[in-house]
Amino acid sequence: MAVPNIDPLWQAFHFIVTAELSEDKVAKQVLRGESTRASKLTSRWKGLKDKLRAVVSGCAEQLKLQITAVCDESLAETEGIEIGLGTDDYRELLNSAPAREGFAGTGPGRTYAYLLDQFISQSGTWLGFGQAYQKTAAQCVLLLQNCEEVEAYIGQLRGQQEKEYMKCADLIILVQKRIAELPAEPEVGGILQPLVQGCGKLLGDTRNVIDLCTGGMLEARCRRLPFGFTDFAADKDLITSEMWPLIAFCQEGYITVKELWDSLQPPVFAALRAKVTVKYLAVLLEDLGWPGFRALLALGAADQVKLVARWPDLRTHFLSKCPSGSPAEEVLQWDRLAVTGELVDGWAAIAKGTGLEIKLPHQCTAYGWVTINGTRMPRAFSTPSFATDLACMKHCKQELGAKPTPQKMEAYFAELFGACAQAVAAWNNNDRPDMYPVIVQGAVARWRIVVGSNGSRTVHHIDSGYDKSPWIGH
């Protein structure tokens, strides 16, 4: 900054005022009484440190515009006073380094302190800086308070996350033990190997997902968020955007594992032993595994007996329409056709099928189907560049509303498919993190999508608002 006055004393004043308005000095003035609090928080939140620095810097820059006025007023304060300093003292001061340790005990340091205390601090403009410091201090305190609220909210969510995780993880251990007991189940233990394998895989897949949804991951992600620390509601929304998939996956994982637990209890097998022919049940389990067993349990008692009794006669025809590996929801739809009327009626119902199918986008392969209002759409799907898991699209029926037309279902799925492709592209471009949440705005709806686990290009969640989806009324 140019010094407009050649008077040596004026230049000395300018040197001191400029030094006093450095960011470090202004920060000390502004954060007086809050320095310990600020130090603790900024050590954990780099974003807060940057915000505080920006506020302090803004204050300092505004005050520097008034340096000339302070110097002029300080010089006026010296009129008629014998200062006792000469040109050499001022020159020595101008060549000194006030920030250097021990400066106060040096000759220039004593000159600095004398001129600051006796003249500069009497300037009206300088005294007015106090209001600017107070205003800036209030801004900084607000930043600190909001940061503390953010920390508290993250801690609250981390506690909730860890609770949901442990609830699911503890039940997984119980189900693992129960699966190991299945071969010893009276009369049917020898036919339950398909359940041991299928349930074990489902349990392992669930554990792999929830192990990526820890409280530690939640906190690590939150520390990378661009918090403003000025609007807690906005910062809370940022946290929620990171939180919801991690907690939701543990909650959904628990539902999956609880279903396994309930379905594999001894009374379930005792009831089946009393109703069905074990050797026919063995064939059904070998053909359809855990999804077939889960679908069987969803039927009424009479239909369970009918399906198992008919299975040897229907299986080839049934599997040509609903192959092994199909999800339980699809198996159940074909089961209900298979138990229609007499055996010949079951044959005819399977031959007719479960309804129309929507047209799929290019390079989209369905993995299982779900029937909605007589029309089938994929329960899961894959493409050359990514795939969905079997659970991520379970909200589709809710989001399509009552009695959707085939055209609406096709348009809905096309937008869902495109949103998934965009989300996977975003995941690829952001170093492929685990459980990466992405928001994609489609022509109709705003999609929330979660992509990636252990480097795999898997979509684990997608929704357009559940019961508030724009697609319901579209």
Side-chain angles (χ1 to χ4, degrees):
M1 181 183 295
V3 181
N5 194 315
I6 62 173
D7 185 292
L9 179 55
W10 193 97
Q11 291 182 333
F13 286 143
H14 189 281
F15 178 82
I16 295 169
V17 175
T18 301
E20 288 296 305
L21 293 182
S22 68
E23 284 191 20
D24 285 345
K25 291 264 190 172
V26 172
K28 287 180 180 179
Q29 289 284 344
V30 167
L31 294 172
R32 187 185 308 169
E34 299 288 349
S35 57
T36 301
R37 182 186 183 191
S39 179
K40 288 180 179 178
L41 290 171
T42 54
S43 68
R44 298 192 292 268
W45 297 95
K46 182 181 181 300
L48 174 65
K49 188 174 183 178
D50 294 339
K51 295 288 182 182
L52 289 171
R53 183 183 291 117
V55 171
V56 169
S57 177
C59 175
E61 291 304 312
Q62 286 298 311
L63 296 181
K64 285 176 182 178
L65 298 175
Q66 303 177 67
I67 289 178
T68 298
V70 174
C71 295
D72 290 343
E73 292 169 9
S74 300
L75 190 62
E77 290 287 334
T78 68
E79 290 183 9
I81 298 176
E82 184 66 36
I83 295 179
L85 296 171
T87 302
D88 290 342
D89 296 307
Y90 302 140
R91 184 181 299 111
E92 190 177 10
L93 173 64
L94 295 178
N95 291 322
S96 68
R100 183 175 298 169
E101 186 177 352
F103 173 73
T106 66
R110 288 187 287 272
T111 300
Y112 186 106
Y114 171 69
L115 295 178
L116 176 63
D117 293 341
Q118 296 300 314
F119 304 107
I120 294 173
S121 62
Q122 306 307 312
S123 159
T125 301
W126 181 266
L127 291 172
F129 286 179
Q131 292 182 346
Y133 289 143
Q134 289 176 359
K135 182 179 178 181
T136 305
Q139 292 177 276
C140 291
V141 168
L142 182 61
L143 287 170
L144 297 177
Q145 289 174 342
N146 281 332
C147 183
E148 288 170 340
E149 288 188 11
V150 164
E151 277 200 328
Y153 187 59
I154 291 172
Q156 174 189 334
L157 292 183
R158 177 166 184 166
Q160 181 184 351
Q161 167 63 22
E162 289 173 345
K163 180 180 178 181
E164 296 292 346
Y165 173 84
M166 291 307 302
K167 180 181 176 183
C168 186
D170 288 346
L171 187 58
I172 284 175
I173 293 172
L174 293 178
V175 176
Q176 284 175 327
K177 292 179 180 178
R178 179 59 192 146
I179 290 174
E181 296 169 353
L182 290 183
E185 193 65 36
E187 297 183 43
V188 295
I191 69 168
L192 298 183
Q193 191 57 31
L195 294 188
V196 172
Q197 294 174 347
C199 295
K201 183 180 185 308
L202 178 58
L203 200 65
D205 290 345
T206 302
R207 185 62 191 252
N208 288 340
V209 169
I210 71 162
D211 279 349
L212 297 174
C213 302
T214 63
M217 172 182 277
L218 169 64
E219 186 161 333
R221 283 188 171 182
C222 286
R223 292 200 179 280
R224 297 194 295 266
L225 291 173
F227 293 122
F229 296 119
T230 55
D231 181 351
F232 178 61
D235 289 342
K236 189 175 179 180
D237 286 343
L238 284 175
I239 297 167
T240 302
S241 71
E242 293 293 331
M243 172 276 292
W244 70 264
L246 303 183
I247 292 181
F249 280 129
C250 288
Q251 292 172 334
E252 292 170 4
Y254 179 82
I255 292 171
T256 298
V257 178
K258 182 66 164 57
E259 184 179 37
L260 281 170
W261 175 253
D262 292 340
S263 301
L264 300 178
Q265 293 304 303
V268 173
F269 295 104
L272 284 175
R273 288 197 305 269
K275 289 183 295 190
V276 305
T277 304
V278 171
K279 67 178 181 178
Y280 295 162
L281 176 62
V283 179
L284 186 148
L285 294 180
E286 190 65 38
D287 288 337
L288 296 174
W290 159 247
F293 185 71
R294 180 182 163 203
L296 177 66
L297 296 184
L299 295 173
D303 285 341
Q304 288 177 357
V305 173
K306 188 183 289 187
L307 178 67
V308 174
R310 291 181 178 182
W311 189 251
D313 298 313
L314 288 176
R315 60 185 295 271
T316 301
H317 193 39
F318 187 106
L319 294 172
S320 70
K321 299 286 188 175
C322 179
S324 176
S326 298
E329 292 81 1
E330 184 179 3
V331 175
L332 180 59
Q333 292 170 13
W334 290 96
D335 282 352
R336 287 173 174 152
L337 297 178
V339 298
T340 304
E342 300 299 325
L343 177 60
V344 67
D345 300 315
W347 270 86
I350 292 172
K352 183 178 179 182
T354 58
L356 301 171
E357 294 177 3
I358 66 168
K359 182 181 178 181
L360 300 183
H362 180 60
Q363 292 190 316
C364 175
T365 301
Y367 182 63
W369 299 83
V370 59
T371 301
I372 303 173
N373 195 32
T375 301
R376 301 207 304 165
M377 66 178 286
R379 181 75 174 81
F381 65 88
S382 65
T383 76
S385 56
F386 68 92
T388 67
D389 68 18
L390 291 176
C392 76
M393 291 172 57
K394 56 181 176 290
H395 316 294
C396 294
K397 187 171 184 179
Q398 178 186 27
E399 294 181 346
L400 281 164
K403 298 182 178 180
T405 64
Q407 292 78 17
K408 177 178 179 177
M409 291 174 61
E410 193 167 297
Y412 170 89
F413 184 79
E415 184 169 285
L416 178 153
F417 180 87
C420 286
Q422 290 185 51
V424 173
W427 172 77
N428 270 316
N429 292 332
N430 284 276
D431 299 324
R432 301 185 173 190
D434 291 328
M435 299 300 163
Y436 183 63
V438 185
I439 301 296
V440 176
Q441 181 62 54
V444 176
R446 180 173 179 265
W447 298 89
R448 297 194 309 175
I449 304 170
V450 179
V451 184
S453 56
N454 296 312
S456 70
R457 298 170 297 180
T458 303
V459 175
H460 289 287
H461 176 92
I462 179 165
D463 77 79
S464 62
Y466 301 100
D467 60 345
K468 295 180 176 60
S469 172
W471 275 101
I472 292 176
H474 184 70

